[in-house]
Amino acid sequence: MPGHASDYGLEALAARAEITDVIYRYCHATDRRQWWLMDTVFHEDARCQLSVIGGDWREFVRQGEALLKPVGVTHHQVGNILIALDGDVAHTETYLTAFHRVPADAPPGGPFGGTGEAYDAVFGARYVDRFEKRDGVWKIAERQSRAEYRHYRPVAEGGLSETAEQFRGQWGDADAARPLSAPWRGRRSAAPTLEVLAARAEIADVVNRFAHMVDRHQWELADEVFHRDATSRFLDSVRTVDQFLENGRNLLGPLSGTLHQTGNMLIEVEGDTAWCETYVTAFHAVPTTAPRGAFWGGRDEPYEGIAGGRYVDRLERRDGRWKIAERQTLVEWRHDQPVRDGGLGGVPAEFRGQRGDADVARPVVARFLDRK
């Protein structure tokens, strides 16, 4: 019966976690061009139909690889996932936003046809999947997609255009997230244990607590996110926790607002060590008063800087607590645009997000703040 308590028992929670991992692994395989990972996503007789490509899953992957070959960057960030379990079958609906950077010299034709000018193609869509559990393993048996919106815009990526490629995401084993995909070579999927499910939940909280910390400027939460000897790499700079906090205040303090929205989280737990890859889309409102020359530097007119990337974290469990020991932030794309506030421009400041204890979400982190 839908909504029954058994939908949220240990077996069901393990199934949901395994199914969610499959969905995330599909995105990782596509964006990192690790097509071999699709063996862990689809049953051998699976069928797929996404937009103009489809058929049996191996043919679908071949078509997808050819379609994306001229595309410079892709970023498939997942949001809502609805899962309906029915024995050894599950029906899922996954919302996603898919970003594609199409270079100027891409061949003409198709959804990512070249125009002689580089542009960004952003799609909003849903994956609608039928999963089946066979021999104890959940994989996709049938996938369809439904496109909800599509937007093309000229490339306007600000300072990211001057960033060396090695500080962005890479394809294949050269990428910083290799520790998350490497264990899947030849490995058979297994339902996570209660201990692993608990570790994953705590790790997800740590990552999302980071986003709350930087957006609400509650820097005192750093001890709930990082071990004191942790390092954080952003582009070509590696910083200690104290250096990261100083840089964060200097970089984000002058901005009018930020919103770091996380999506896909692939988590691999091995004893007291874990790796986590988190997709993130980050919005930055940059006023003219922001210091010039910074990554989100001020200009003659205010602008909005939107970036998509990934956090690749190595976490360690020490004294029973999971925290980040090493972080690398990879910026995959950036788009700068003039401020277009629409109706939000007339909304009083108190009904927008606040910084520090004034924000309405303080109860979410109060237990950490109040023991400082």
Side-chain angles (χ1 to χ4, degrees), residues 113-191:
T115 64
E117 299 287 342
Y119 66 92
D120 299 332
V122 184
F123 300 168
R126 292 175 298 138
Y127 297 141
V128 181
D129 299 326
R130 189 184 84 251
F131 278 78
E132 294 181 5
K133 184 180 181 181
R134 303 179 188 174
D135 299 325
V137 178
W138 287 100
K139 294 184 183 181
I140 295 172
E142 181 182 4
R143 162 161 286 189
Q144 303 178 61
S145 74
R146 291 296 181 266
E148 305 297 345
Y149 71 84
R150 180 178 296 185
H151 183 71
Y152 297 103
R153 60 197 184 195
V155 169
E157 64 172 6
L160 187 60
S161 60
E162 301 169 2
T163 301
E165 290 293 331
Q166 66 263 33
F167 301 122
R168 306 192 193 187
Q170 304 294 303
W171 290 345
D173 289 343
D175 190 73
R178 183 182 183 278
L180 284 142
S181 59
W184 283 94
R185 290 189 184 274
R187 187 175 81 176
R188 187 177 185 273
S189 178

Coordinates of all heavy atoms in Angstrom, one line a residue, residues 113-191:
G113 N 24.2 21.9 -32.2 CA 24.9 22.2 -33.4 C 25.6 23.6 -33.3 O 25.2 24.5 -32.6
G114 N 26.8 23.6 -33.9 CA 27.6 24.8 -33.9 C 27.0 25.9 -34.7 O 26.3 25.7 -35.7
T115 N 27.3 27.2 -34.2 CA 26.7 28.4 -34.9 C 27.8 29.3 -35.3 O 27.6 30.4 -35.8 CB 25.8 29.1 -34.0 OG1 26.5 29.6 -32.8 CG2 24.6 28.2 -33.5
G116 N 29.1 29.0 -35.0 CA 30.2 29.9 -35.2 C 30.5 30.7 -34.0 O 31.5 31.4 -34.0
E117 N 29.6 30.7 -33.0 CA 29.8 31.4 -31.7 C 29.5 30.4 -30.6 O 28.6 29.6 -30.7 CB 28.8 32.6 -31.6 CG 29.0 33.6 -32.6 CD 30.3 34.5 -32.5 OE1 30.8 34.5 -31.3 OE2 30.7 35.1 -33.4
A118 N 30.4 30.4 -29.6 CA 30.2 29.5 -28.4 C 28.9 29.9 -27.7 O 28.6 31.1 -27.6 CB 31.4 29.6 -27.5
Y119 N 28.1 28.9 -27.2 CA 26.9 29.2 -26.5 C 26.7 28.2 -25.4 O 27.2 27.1 -25.5 CB 25.7 29.4 -27.4 CG 25.3 28.1 -28.1 CD1 24.3 27.3 -27.6 CD2 25.8 27.8 -29.4 CE1 23.9 26.1 -28.3 CE2 25.4 26.6 -30.1 CZ 24.5 25.8 -29.5 OH 24.1 24.6 -30.2
D120 N 25.8 28.5 -24.5 CA 25.4 27.6 -23.4 C 24.0 27.1 -23.7 O 23.1 27.9 -24.0 CB 25.4 28.2 -22.0 CG 26.7 28.7 -21.6 OD1 27.7 28.2 -22.1 OD2 26.8 29.7 -20.8
A121 N 23.8 25.8 -23.7 CA 22.5 25.2 -23.9 C 22.0 24.6 -22.5 O 22.7 23.7 -22.0 CB 22.5 24.1 -24.9
V122 N 21.0 25.1 -21.9 CA 20.5 24.7 -20.6 C 19.1 24.1 -20.8 O 18.2 24.7 -21.3 CB 20.5 25.8 -19.6 CG1 20.1 25.3 -18.2 CG2 21.8 26.5 -19.6
F123 N 19.0 22.8 -20.3 CA 17.7 22.1 -20.4 C 17.2 21.8 -19.0 O 17.9 21.4 -18.1 CB 17.9 20.8 -21.2 CG 18.4 20.8 -22.6 CD1 18.8 19.7 -23.2 CD2 18.5 22.0 -23.3 CE1 19.3 19.7 -24.5 CE2 19.0 22.1 -24.5 CZ 19.4 21.0 -25.2
G124 N 15.9 21.9 -18.9 CA 15.2 21.4 -17.7 C 14.4 20.2 -18.2 O 13.6 20.3 -19.1
A125 N 14.5 19.1 -17.5 CA 13.8 17.9 -17.9 C 13.6 16.9 -16.7 O 13.9 17.2 -15.6 CB 14.7 17.2 -19.0
R126 N 13.0 15.8 -17.1 CA 12.7 14.7 -16.1 C 13.1 13.4 -16.7 O 12.8 13.1 -17.9 CB 11.3 14.7 -15.7 CG 10.8 15.9 -14.9 CD 9.3 15.8 -14.6 NE 8.5 15.8 -15.9 CZ 7.5 15.1 -16.2 NH1 7.0 14.2 -15.3 NH2 6.8 15.2 -17.3
Y127 N 13.8 12.6 -15.9 CA 14.0 11.2 -16.2 C 12.8 10.4 -15.6 O 12.6 10.5 -14.4 CB 15.3 10.6 -15.7 CG 16.5 11.3 -16.2 CD1 17.6 11.5 -15.4 CD2 16.6 11.6 -17.6 CE1 18.8 12.1 -15.9 CE2 17.8 12.2 -18.1 CZ 18.9 12.4 -17.2 OH 20.0 13.0 -17.7
V128 N 12.2 9.6 -16.3 CA 11.1 8.7 -15.8 C 11.6 7.3 -16.1 O 11.6 6.8 -17.2 CB 9.7 9.0 -16.5 CG1 8.7 8.1 -15.9 CG2 9.3 10.4 -16.3
D129 N 11.9 6.6 -15.0 CA 12.6 5.3 -15.1 C 11.7 4.2 -14.4 O 11.0 4.4 -13.5 CB 13.9 5.3 -14.3 CG 14.9 6.3 -14.9 OD1 14.9 6.5 -16.1 OD2 15.7 6.9 -14.1
R130 N 11.8 3.0 -15.0 CA 11.4 1.8 -14.4 C 12.6 0.9 -14.0 O 13.4 0.5 -14.8 CB 10.5 0.9 -15.3 CG 9.8 -0.2 -14.5 CD 9.0 -1.2 -15.3 NE 9.8 -2.2 -16.0 CZ 10.1 -2.2 -17.3 NH1 9.6 -1.3 -18.1 NH2 10.8 -3.2 -17.8
F131 N 12.8 0.8 -12.7 CA 13.9 0.0 -12.2 C 13.4 -1.4 -11.9 O 12.2 -1.7 -11.6 CB 14.4 0.5 -10.8 CG 15.4 1.7 -11.0 CD1 14.9 3.0 -11.3 CD2 16.7 1.5 -10.8 CE1 15.8 4.0 -11.4 CE2 17.6 2.5 -10.9 CZ 17.2 3.8 -11.2
E132 N 14.3 -2.4 -12.0 CA 14.0 -3.8 -11.6 C 15.1 -4.3 -10.7 O 16.3 -4.0 -11.0 CB 13.7 -4.7 -12.8 CG 12.5 -4.3 -13.6 CD 12.3 -5.3 -14.8 OE1 13.1 -6.2 -14.9 OE2 11.3 -5.0 -15.6
K133 N 14.8 -5.1 -9.7 CA 15.8 -5.7 -8.9 C 16.0 -7.1 -9.4 O 15.0 -7.9 -9.3 CB 15.4 -5.7 -7.4 CG 16.4 -6.2 -6.5 CD 15.9 -6.2 -5.0 CE 16.9 -6.7 -4.0 NZ 16.4 -6.6 -2.6
R134 N 17.1 -7.4 -9.9 CA 17.4 -8.8 -10.5 C 18.7 -9.3 -9.8 O 19.7 -8.6 -9.8 CB 17.6 -8.7 -12.0 CG 16.4 -8.2 -12.7 CD 16.7 -8.2 -14.2 NE 15.7 -7.4 -15.0 CZ 15.8 -7.2 -16.3 NH1 16.9 -7.6 -17.0 NH2 14.9 -6.5 -16.9
D135 N 18.6 -10.5 -9.3 CA 19.8 -11.1 -8.6 C 20.3 -10.2 -7.5 O 21.5 -10.1 -7.3 CB 20.9 -11.4 -9.6 CG 20.5 -12.5 -10.7 OD1 19.7 -13.4 -10.3 OD2 20.9 -12.3 -11.8
G136 N 19.4 -9.5 -6.9 CA 19.7 -8.6 -5.7 C 20.2 -7.3 -6.1 O 20.7 -6.5 -5.2
V137 N 20.2 -6.9 -7.4 CA 20.8 -5.6 -7.9 C 19.7 -4.8 -8.5 O 19.0 -5.3 -9.4 CB 22.0 -5.9 -8.8 CG1 22.5 -4.6 -9.4 CG2 23.1 -6.7 -8.1
W138 N 19.6 -3.5 -8.1 CA 18.7 -2.6 -8.8 C 19.4 -1.9 -9.9 O 20.5 -1.3 -9.8 CB 18.3 -1.5 -7.8 CG 17.3 -1.9 -6.8 CD1 17.6 -2.3 -5.5 CD2 15.9 -2.1 -6.9 NE1 16.4 -2.6 -4.8 CE2 15.4 -2.5 -5.7 CE3 15.0 -1.9 -8.0 CZ2 14.0 -2.7 -5.5 CZ3 13.7 -2.1 -7.8 CH2 13.2 -2.6 -6.6
K139 N 18.8 -1.9 -11.1 CA 19.3 -1.2 -12.3 C 18.0 -0.7 -13.1 O 16.9 -1.2 -12.9 CB 20.2 -2.0 -13.2 CG 21.5 -2.4 -12.6 CD 22.4 -3.2 -13.6 CE 23.7 -3.7 -13.1 NZ 24.5 -4.4 -14.1
I140 N 18.3 0.1 -14.0 CA 17.2 0.7 -14.9 C 16.9 -0.4 -16.0 O 17.7 -0.9 -16.7 CB 17.6 2.0 -15.6 CG1 17.9 3.1 -14.5 CG2 16.6 2.4 -16.6 CD1 18.5 4.3 -15.0
A141 N 15.5 -0.6 -16.1 CA 15.1 -1.5 -17.2 C 14.5 -0.7 -18.3 O 14.5 -1.2 -19.5 CB 14.0 -2.5 -16.6
E142 N 14.0 0.5 -18.0 CA 13.4 1.4 -19.0 C 13.5 2.8 -18.6 O 13.2 3.2 -17.5 CB 11.9 1.1 -19.3 CG 11.3 1.9 -20.4 CD 9.9 1.6 -20.6 OE1 9.3 0.8 -19.9 OE2 9.3 2.2 -21.5
R143 N 14.1 3.6 -19.5 CA 14.2 5.1 -19.2 C 13.5 5.9 -20.3 O 13.8 5.6 -21.5 CB 15.6 5.5 -19.0 CG 15.9 7.0 -19.2 CD 17.2 7.5 -18.6 NE 17.1 7.5 -17.1 CZ 18.1 8.0 -16.3 NH1 19.1 8.5 -16.9 NH2 18.0 8.0 -15.0
Q144 N 12.8 6.9 -19.9 CA 12.2 7.9 -20.8 C 12.6 9.3 -20.3 O 12.9 9.4 -19.1 CB 10.7 7.8 -21.0 CG 10.2 6.4 -21.4 CD 8.7 6.4 -21.5 OE1 8.1 7.2 -22.2 NE2 8.1 5.6 -20.7
S145 N 12.6 10.3 -21.1 CA 12.8 11.6 -20.6 C 11.7 12.5 -21.1 O 11.1 12.2 -22.2 CB 14.2 12.2 -21.0 OG 14.2 12.5 -22.4
R146 N 11.5 13.6 -20.4 CA 10.5 14.6 -20.9 C 11.1 15.9 -20.7 O 11.5 16.3 -19.6 CB 9.2 14.5 -20.0 CG 8.4 13.2 -20.3 CD 7.9 13.2 -21.8 NE 7.1 12.0 -22.1 CZ 7.6 10.9 -22.6 NH1 8.9 10.8 -22.9 NH2 6.8 9.9 -22.9
A147 N 11.3 16.7 -21.8 CA 11.8 18.0 -21.7 C 10.8 19.0 -21.3 O 9.7 19.0 -21.8 CB 12.4 18.4 -23.1
E148 N 11.2 19.9 -20.4 CA 10.2 20.9 -19.8 C 10.6 22.3 -20.3 O 9.7 23.1 -20.5 CB 10.2 20.8 -18.3 CG 9.9 19.4 -17.7 CD 8.5 18.9 -18.1 OE1 7.7 19.7 -18.5 OE2 8.3 17.7 -17.9
Y149 N 11.9 22.6 -20.4 CA 12.2 23.8 -21.0 C 13.6 23.7 -21.6 O 14.4 22.8 -21.3 CB 12.2 25.0 -20.0 CG 13.3 25.0 -18.9 CD1 14.5 25.5 -19.2 CD2 13.0 24.4 -17.7 CE1 15.5 25.5 -18.2 CE2 14.0 24.4 -16.7 CZ 15.2 24.9 -17.0 OH 16.2 24.9 -16.0
R150 N 14.0 24.6 -22.5 CA 15.3 24.7 -23.2 C 15.7 26.1 -23.4 O 14.8 26.9 -23.8 CB 15.2 23.9 -24.5 CG 16.6 23.9 -25.2 CD 16.4 23.1 -26.5 NE 16.2 21.7 -26.3 CZ 16.1 20.8 -27.3 NH1 16.3 21.1 -28.5 NH2 15.9 19.5 -26.9
H151 N 16.9 26.5 -23.0 CA 17.3 27.9 -23.1 C 18.7 27.9 -23.7 O 19.6 27.2 -23.3 CB 17.3 28.5 -21.8 CG 17.7 30.0 -21.8 ND1 16.8 30.9 -22.3 CD2 18.8 30.6 -21.3 CE1 17.4 32.1 -22.2 NE2 18.6 31.9 -21.6
Y152 N 18.9 28.7 -24.8 CA 20.2 28.9 -25.4 C 20.7 30.4 -25.0 O 19.9 31.3 -25.1 CB 20.2 28.7 -26.9 CG 19.8 27.3 -27.3 CD1 18.6 27.0 -27.8 CD2 20.8 26.3 -27.3 CE1 18.2 25.7 -28.2 CE2 20.5 25.0 -27.6 CZ 19.2 24.7 -28.1 OH 18.9 23.5 -28.5
R153 N 21.9 30.5 -24.7 CA 22.4 31.9 -24.4 C 23.9 32.0 -24.7 O 24.7 31.0 -24.6 CB 22.2 32.2 -22.9 CG 22.9 31.2 -22.0 CD 22.4 31.3 -20.5 NE 23.2 30.4 -19.6 CZ 22.8 30.0 -18.4 NH1 21.6 30.5 -18.0 NH2 23.5 29.3 -17.7
P154 N 24.3 33.2 -25.1 CA 25.8 33.3 -25.5 C 26.6 33.1 -24.2 O 26.2 33.3 -23.1 CB 25.8 34.8 -25.9 CG 24.4 35.2 -26.2 CD 23.5 34.4 -25.3
V155 N 27.9 32.7 -24.5 CA 28.8 32.4 -23.4 C 29.2 33.8 -22.7 O 29.5 34.7 -23.4 CB 30.0 31.7 -23.9 CG1 31.1 31.7 -22.8 CG2 29.7 30.3 -24.3
A156 N 29.1 33.8 -21.4 CA 29.5 35.0 -20.7 C 30.0 34.5 -19.3 O 29.2 34.5 -18.3 CB 28.3 36.0 -20.5
E157 N 31.2 34.1 -19.2 CA 31.7 33.4 -18.0 C 32.6 34.2 -17.2 O 33.3 33.6 -16.3 CB 32.2 32.0 -18.4 CG 33.5 32.0 -19.2 CD 34.1 30.6 -19.4 OE1 33.5 29.7 -18.9 OE2 35.2 30.5 -19.9
G158 N 32.8 35.4 -17.4 CA 33.6 36.2 -16.6 C 35.0 35.7 -16.4 O 35.7 35.2 -17.3
G159 N 35.6 35.8 -15.2 CA 37.0 35.4 -14.9 C 37.3 33.9 -15.1 O 38.4 33.5 -15.2
L160 N 36.2 33.1 -15.2 CA 36.5 31.6 -15.5 C 37.2 31.4 -16.8 O 37.9 30.4 -16.9 CB 35.2 30.9 -15.4 CG 35.3 29.3 -15.4 CD1 36.2 28.8 -14.3 CD2 34.0 28.7 -15.4
S161 N 37.0 32.3 -17.7 CA 37.6 32.1 -19.1 C 39.1 32.1 -19.0 O 39.8 31.6 -19.9 CB 37.1 33.2 -20.0 OG 37.5 34.5 -19.5
E162 N 39.7 32.7 -17.9 CA 41.1 32.8 -17.7 C 41.7 31.7 -16.8 O 42.9 31.7 -16.6 CB 41.5 34.2 -17.1 CG 41.0 35.4 -18.0 CD 41.1 36.7 -17.2 OE1 41.6 36.7 -16.1 OE2 40.7 37.7 -17.8
T163 N 40.8 30.8 -16.4 CA 41.2 29.7 -15.5 C 41.7 28.5 -16.3 O 41.1 28.1 -17.3 CB 40.0 29.3 -14.7 OG1 39.5 30.4 -13.9 CG2 40.4 28.1 -13.7
A164 N 42.9 28.0 -15.9 CA 43.5 26.9 -16.7 C 42.6 25.7 -16.6 O 41.9 25.4 -15.6 CB 44.8 26.6 -16.1
E165 N 42.5 24.9 -17.7 CA 41.6 23.8 -17.8 C 41.8 22.7 -16.6 O 40.9 22.1 -16.2 CB 41.8 23.1 -19.1 CG 41.2 23.9 -20.3 CD 39.7 24.1 -20.3 OE1 39.1 23.2 -19.7 OE2 39.2 25.1 -20.8
Q166 N 43.1 22.6 -16.2 CA 43.3 21.6 -15.2 C 42.6 21.9 -13.8 O 42.5 21.0 -13.0 CB 44.8 21.3 -14.9 CG 45.6 22.5 -14.3 CD 46.2 23.4 -15.4 OE1 45.7 23.5 -16.5 NE2 47.4 23.9 -15.0
F167 N 42.2 23.1 -13.6 CA 41.5 23.4 -12.4 C 40.0 23.3 -12.6 O 39.2 23.7 -11.7 CB 41.9 24.8 -11.9 CG 43.4 24.9 -11.7 CD1 44.1 25.9 -12.4 CD2 44.0 24.0 -10.8 CE1 45.5 25.9 -12.1 CE2 45.4 24.1 -10.6 CZ 46.1 25.1 -11.3
R168 N 39.5 22.8 -13.7 CA 38.1 22.5 -13.9 C 38.0 21.0 -13.9 O 39.0 20.2 -13.7 CB 37.6 23.0 -15.2 CG 37.8 24.5 -15.4 CD 37.0 25.0 -16.6 NE 37.4 26.4 -17.0 CZ 36.8 27.1 -17.9 NH1 35.7 26.6 -18.5 NH2 37.2 28.3 -18.3
G169 N 36.8 20.4 -14.1 CA 36.6 19.0 -14.2 C 37.3 18.4 -15.4 O 37.4 19.1 -16.4
Q170 N 37.8 17.2 -15.2 CA 38.4 16.5 -16.3 C 37.6 15.3 -16.7 O 36.6 14.9 -16.1 CB 39.8 16.0 -15.9 CG 40.7 17.1 -15.4 CD 41.1 18.1 -16.5 OE1 41.6 17.7 -17.5 NE2 40.8 19.3 -16.3
W171 N 37.9 14.7 -17.9 CA 37.2 13.5 -18.3 C 38.0 12.3 -17.9 O 39.2 12.3 -17.9 CB 37.0 13.5 -19.8 CG 36.0 14.6 -20.2 CD1 35.1 15.2 -19.4 CD2 35.8 15.1 -21.6 NE1 34.3 16.1 -20.2 CE2 34.7 16.0 -21.5 CE3 36.3 14.8 -22.8 CZ2 34.2 16.7 -22.6 CZ3 35.9 15.5 -23.9 CH2 34.8 16.4 -23.8
G172 N 37.3 11.2 -17.7 CA 38.0 9.9 -17.4 C 38.7 9.9 -16.1 O 38.3 10.6 -15.1
D173 N 39.7 9.1 -16.0 CA 40.4 8.9 -14.7 C 41.3 10.1 -14.3 O 41.8 10.1 -13.2 CB 41.4 7.7 -14.8 CG 40.6 6.4 -14.9 OD1 39.4 6.4 -14.5 OD2 41.1 5.3 -15.3
A174 N 41.4 11.1 -15.2 CA 42.2 12.3 -14.8 C 41.4 13.2 -13.8 O 42.0 14.1 -13.2 CB 42.5 13.1 -16.0
D175 N 40.1 12.9 -13.6 CA 39.3 13.8 -12.8 C 39.5 13.5 -11.3 O 39.9 12.4 -10.9 CB 37.8 13.6 -13.1 CG 36.9 14.6 -12.4 OD1 36.9 15.8 -12.9 OD2 36.3 14.3 -11.5
A176 N 39.4 14.6 -10.5 CA 39.6 14.5 -9.1 C 38.6 13.5 -8.4 O 38.9 13.0 -7.3 CB 39.4 15.9 -8.4
A177 N 37.5 13.2 -9.0 CA 36.5 12.3 -8.4 C 36.8 10.8 -8.8 O 35.9 10.0 -8.5 CB 35.1 12.7 -8.9
R178 N 37.9 10.5 -9.3 CA 38.2 9.1 -9.7 C 38.0 8.2 -8.5 O 37.5 7.0 -8.7 CB 39.7 9.0 -10.2 CG 40.0 7.6 -10.6 CD 41.5 7.5 -11.1 NE 41.8 6.2 -11.6 CZ 42.1 5.1 -10.8 NH1 42.1 5.3 -9.5 NH2 42.3 3.9 -11.4
P179 N 38.4 8.5 -7.2 CA 38.1 7.5 -6.2 C 36.7 7.1 -6.0 O 36.4 6.1 -5.4 CB 38.6 8.3 -4.9 CG 39.6 9.3 -5.4 CD 39.1 9.7 -6.8
L180 N 35.7 7.9 -6.6 CA 34.3 7.5 -6.5 C 33.9 6.5 -7.6 O 33.0 5.7 -7.4 CB 33.5 8.7 -6.5 CG 33.4 9.5 -5.2 CD1 33.4 11.0 -5.5 CD2 32.2 9.1 -4.4
S181 N 34.6 6.6 -8.7 CA 34.2 5.7 -9.8 C 35.1 4.4 -9.9 O 34.7 3.4 -10.3 CB 34.2 6.4 -11.1 OG 35.5 6.9 -11.4
A182 N 36.4 4.5 -9.5 CA 37.3 3.4 -9.6 C 36.8 2.2 -8.9 O 37.0 1.1 -9.5 CB 38.7 3.9 -9.1
P183 N 36.2 2.2 -7.7 CA 35.8 1.0 -7.1 C 34.7 0.2 -7.9 O 34.5 -1.0 -7.6 CB 35.2 1.4 -5.7 CG 35.9 2.7 -5.5 CD 36.0 3.4 -6.8
W184 N 34.1 0.9 -8.8 CA 33.0 0.2 -9.6 C 33.5 -0.7 -10.7 O 32.7 -1.4 -11.4 CB 32.0 1.2 -10.1 CG 31.1 1.7 -9.0 CD1 31.3 2.8 -8.2 CD2 30.0 1.0 -8.5 NE1 30.3 2.8 -7.2 CE2 29.5 1.8 -7.4 CE3 29.3 -0.1 -8.9 CZ2 28.4 1.4 -6.7 CZ3 28.2 -0.5 -8.1 CH2 27.7 0.3 -7.1
R185 N 34.8 -0.6 -11.0 CA 35.3 -1.5 -12.1 C 35.3 -2.9 -11.6 O 36.0 -3.4 -10.7 CB 36.8 -1.1 -12.4 CG 36.9 0.2 -13.1 CD 38.3 0.4 -13.7 NE 38.5 1.7 -14.3 CZ 38.2 2.0 -15.6 NH1 37.8 1.0 -16.3 NH2 38.4 3.2 -16.0
G186 N 34.4 -3.7 -12.2 CA 34.2 -5.1 -11.8 C 33.5 -5.4 -10.5 O 33.4 -6.5 -10.1
R187 N 33.0 -4.3 -9.9 CA 32.3 -4.6 -8.6 C 30.8 -4.8 -8.8 O 30.2 -4.2 -9.6 CB 32.5 -3.4 -7.7 CG 32.0 -3.6 -6.3 CD 32.3 -2.5 -5.3 NE 31.4 -1.4 -5.5 CZ 31.4 -0.3 -4.7 NH1 32.3 -0.2 -3.8 NH2 30.5 0.7 -4.8
R188 N 30.3 -5.7 -8.0 CA 28.8 -5.9 -8.1 C 28.1 -5.1 -7.0 O 28.6 -5.0 -5.9 CB 28.6 -7.4 -7.8 CG 27.1 -7.9 -7.9 CD 27.0 -9.4 -7.7 NE 25.7 -9.8 -8.0 CZ 24.7 -9.8 -7.1 NH1 24.9 -9.3 -5.9 NH2 23.5 -10.3 -7.4
S189 N 27.0 -4.5 -7.4 CA 26.3 -3.6 -6.5 C 25.8 -4.4 -5.3 O 25.4 -5.6 -5.4 CB 25.1 -2.9 -7.2 OG 24.4 -2.1 -6.4
A190 N 25.8 -3.7 -4.2 CA 25.2 -4.4 -3.0 C 24.4 -3.4 -2.2 O 24.8 -2.2 -2.1 CB 26.3 -5.0 -2.1
A191 N 23.4 -3.8 -1.5 CA 22.5 -2.9 -0.7 C 23.4 -2.4 0.5 O 24.0 -3.2 1.1 CB 21.3 -3.6 -0.2

